[in-house]
């Protein structure tokens, strides 16, 4: 199988992720629930994972790193903490349903979409500048579009939010482990991300980085191993947001994934993914009827590439490719707003997404099989 759906889940992982998870199943109990060795080992791994994530994501301290079940869980905490019924919120034109559905579930929220043209960083920044005003209660912005691999001007958007004293939530689902993420430098209220994509960790893991002075509202309440007499959730992080038993196999695997990313370096990973994405785009451009969607500037794109074949239903073509052993994503990718921005809402796209483990031969094979399918 040629796996090119890494923007959904990094199926190919470093072997040490599996080893770490297996060790956790054998050797770790619950952290913070006892002083015996199995609990102490779990607590040590959990802290080391927070510490590694804090360094990778630019957090002030490990305690600001909260474990969640996925990015959607993290973003729900952030959005529901900052956004109340009737509030006005500004978002980008590329947001995932993890953001848009959560906002839609809060009564009477006015959502303003800031978009300045397709893959236009200057235009997007100008649109955010125009939309953010004194009535804006929060800004929510993805760092990278999961559909198109387009890198939004997050540094400029963060500066606008700081200047206008508006809290910023960043969805780093497609950037963590690939691009620098700088929670402290950006001055974010919250950054949410998964463990199972660019960080090469297991499914069922996620991270919320909480900014200085934030008091997030828990989605779950229950035991934390701390302040057990208190019938309210603790007022300190990370305990405030981590009710119940931790996913220690997931956390151990996530630590191994983060360590792998830090050894390789995000610059090297991004360079690899861009090179293969560019190689694929070049090969697809030679196939009649293929339309590729990507930013023109290399520094505005990652290893995610969306395309369409003229006269072909993308879902049907995706099934044909799957039958040939090529796995990629088709449809709307849980991001209809991004497709509305690009004008592909009615068709969706086929999306190929590269990982550190993708090879040149694999992207060449996709282009060759696609050409063969379209010539039949």
């Amino acid at each position: 199988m040629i796996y090119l759906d890494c923007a959904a889940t990094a199926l190919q992982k470093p072997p040490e992720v599996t080893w770490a998870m297996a060790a956790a199943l054998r050797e770790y109990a619950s952290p913070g629930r006892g002083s015996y060795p199995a609990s102490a080992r779990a607590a040590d791994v959990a802290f080391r994972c927070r510490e590694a994530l804090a360094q990778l994501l630019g957090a002030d301290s490990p305690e600001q790193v909260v474990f969640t079940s996925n990015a959607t869980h993290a973003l729900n905490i952030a959005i529901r903490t900052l956004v109340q019924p009737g509030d006005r919120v500004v978002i980008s034109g590329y947001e995932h349903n993890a953001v848009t559905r959560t906002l839609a579930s809060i009564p009477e929220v006015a959502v303003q979409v800031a978009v300045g043209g397709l893959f236009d960083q200057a235009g997007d920044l100008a649109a955010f500048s125009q939309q953010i005003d004194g009535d804006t209660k929060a800004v929510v912005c993805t760092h990278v579009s999961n559909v198109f691999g387009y890198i939004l001007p997050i540094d400029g958007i963060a500066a606008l939010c700081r200047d206008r004293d508006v809290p910023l939530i960043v969805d780093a689902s497609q950037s963590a482990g690939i691009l620098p993420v700088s929670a402290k430098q950006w001055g974010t209220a919250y950054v949410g991300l998964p463990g199972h994509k660019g960080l090469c960790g297991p499914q069922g893991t996620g991270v919320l980085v909480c900014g200085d002075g934030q008091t997030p509202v828990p989605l779950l309440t229950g035991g934390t191993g701390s302040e057990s007499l208190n019938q309210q959730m603790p007022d300190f992080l990370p305990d405030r947001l981590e009710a119940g038993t931790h996913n220690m196999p997931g956390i151990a695997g996530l630590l191994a994934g983060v360590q792998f990313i830090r050894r390789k370096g995000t610059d090297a990973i991004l360079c690899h993914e861009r090179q293969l994405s560019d190689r694929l785009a070049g090969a697809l451009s030679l196939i009649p009827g293929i339309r590729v969607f990507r930013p023109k500037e290399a520094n505005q794109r990652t290893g995610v590439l969306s395309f369409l074949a003229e006269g072909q239903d993308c879902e049907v073509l995706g099934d044909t490719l799957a039958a040939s052993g090529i796995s990629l994503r088709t449809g709307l990718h849980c991001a209809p707003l991004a497709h509305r921005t690009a004008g592909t809402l009615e068709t969706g796209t086929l999306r190929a997404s590269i990982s550190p483990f993708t090879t040149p031969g694999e992207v060449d094979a996709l282009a060759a099989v696609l050409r063969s399918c379209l010539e039949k």
Side-chain angles (χ1 to χ4, degrees):
M1 177 181 66
I2 294 174
Y3 186 78
L4 295 170
D5 194 20
C6 308
T9 289
L11 180 62
Q12 299 151 312
K13 306 183 196 300
E16 50 265 40
V17 171
T18 303
W19 303 336
M21 295 179 72
L25 288 170
R26 293 191 307 267
E27 301 171 14
Y28 303 159
S30 293
R33 268 63 168 184
S35 57
Y36 51 87
S39 179
R41 284 194 292 268
D44 176 65
V45 167
F47 181 79
R48 287 195 290 120
C49 188
R50 292 188 212 277
E51 194 171 44
L53 285 162
Q55 292 170 356
L56 181 69
L57 303 173
D60 265 335
S61 70
E63 288 75 20
Q64 290 174 276
V65 175
V66 174
F67 296 125
T68 63
S69 58
N70 46 50
T72 299
H73 180 189
L75 291 167
N76 263 263
I77 294 171
I79 291 169
R80 294 181 188 281
T81 295
L82 294 179
V83 181
Q84 304 303 313
D87 281 351
R88 182 178 183 276
V89 179
V90 178
I91 66 174
S92 82
Y94 300 90
E95 297 307 311
H96 190 278
N97 278 342
V99 169
T100 57
R101 283 182 172 171
T102 305
L103 289 169
S105 73
I106 303 173
E108 299 179 356
V109 169
V111 178
Q112 303 294 319
V113 180
V115 59
L118 186 62
F119 311 148
D120 179 359
Q121 284 191 343
D124 286 336
L125 188 58
F128 271 97
S129 181
Q130 183 178 22
Q131 294 281 7
I132 300 171
D133 60 25
D135 293 327
T136 304
K137 298 299 182 183
V139 170
V140 189
C141 187
T142 187
H143 192 179
V144 176
S145 167
N146 73 304
V147 179
F148 303 110
Y150 166 56
I151 302 170
L152 279 84
I154 202 69
D155 290 331
I157 294 166
L160 285 172
C161 291
R162 292 194 304 270
D163 290 345
R164 301 180 189 185
D165 198 25
V166 175
L168 171 64
I169 300 169
V170 172
D171 177 358
S173 294
Q174 299 296 328
S175 60
I178 301 167
L179 292 169
V181 175
S182 306
K184 181 179 180 181
Q185 179 179 324
W186 292 337
T188 50
Y190 298 99
V191 178
L193 56 133
H196 65 97
K197 299 188 183 186
L199 298 184
C200 293
Q203 293 98 318
T205 59
V207 176
L208 179 67
V209 180
C210 302
D212 289 334
Q214 294 296 321
T215 307
V217 177
L219 289 184
L220 295 175
T221 57
T224 61
S226 58
E227 295 192 349
S228 294
L229 281 176
N230 182 3
Q231 291 305 288
Q232 304 300 315
M233 290 298 288
D235 61 3
F236 55 88
L237 294 172
D239 296 40
R240 181 170 179 78
L241 299 178
E242 292 183 358
T245 301
H246 289 79
N247 174 12
M248 284 311 305
I251 291 169
L254 179 56
L255 173 58
V258 172
Q259 290 171 333
F260 167 80
I261 297 298
R262 294 182 67 196
R263 285 196 303 273
K264 288 191 71 70
T266 55
D267 288 347
I269 292 171
L270 178 62
C271 180
H272 169 79
E273 295 189 7
R274 275 181 177 158
Q275 285 178 346
L276 292 192
S277 177
D278 290 348
R279 184 186 184 106
L280 177 59
L284 294 181
S285 70
L286 301 177
I287 302 175
I290 293 289
R291 182 185 177 193
V292 175
F293 297 84
R294 69 202 299 252
K296 292 181 180 179
E297 302 296 329
N299 64 357
Q300 295 182 13
R301 58 183 184 248
T302 61
V304 175
L305 187 71
S306 267
F307 61 94
L308 283 174
E310 184 179 350
Q312 298 283 330
D313 182 285
C314 69
E315 302 277 4
V316 173
L317 185 54
D319 289 344
T320 302
L321 291 169
S324 298
I326 297 176
S327 302
L328 43 68
R329 184 78 180 269
T330 63
L332 297 181
H333 319 104
C334 298
L337 182 58
H339 285 281
R340 184 174 290 114
T341 298
T344 54
L345 186 60
E346 292 186 2
T347 61
T349 59
L350 295 101
R351 183 190 70 186
S353 46
I354 312 300
S355 86
F357 302 98
T358 307
T359 67
E362 289 176 324
V363 299
D364 292 347
L366 167 58
V369 172
L370 186 61
R371 178 185 286 276
S372 176
C373 290
L374 296 178
E375 288 177 347
K376 290 180 180 178

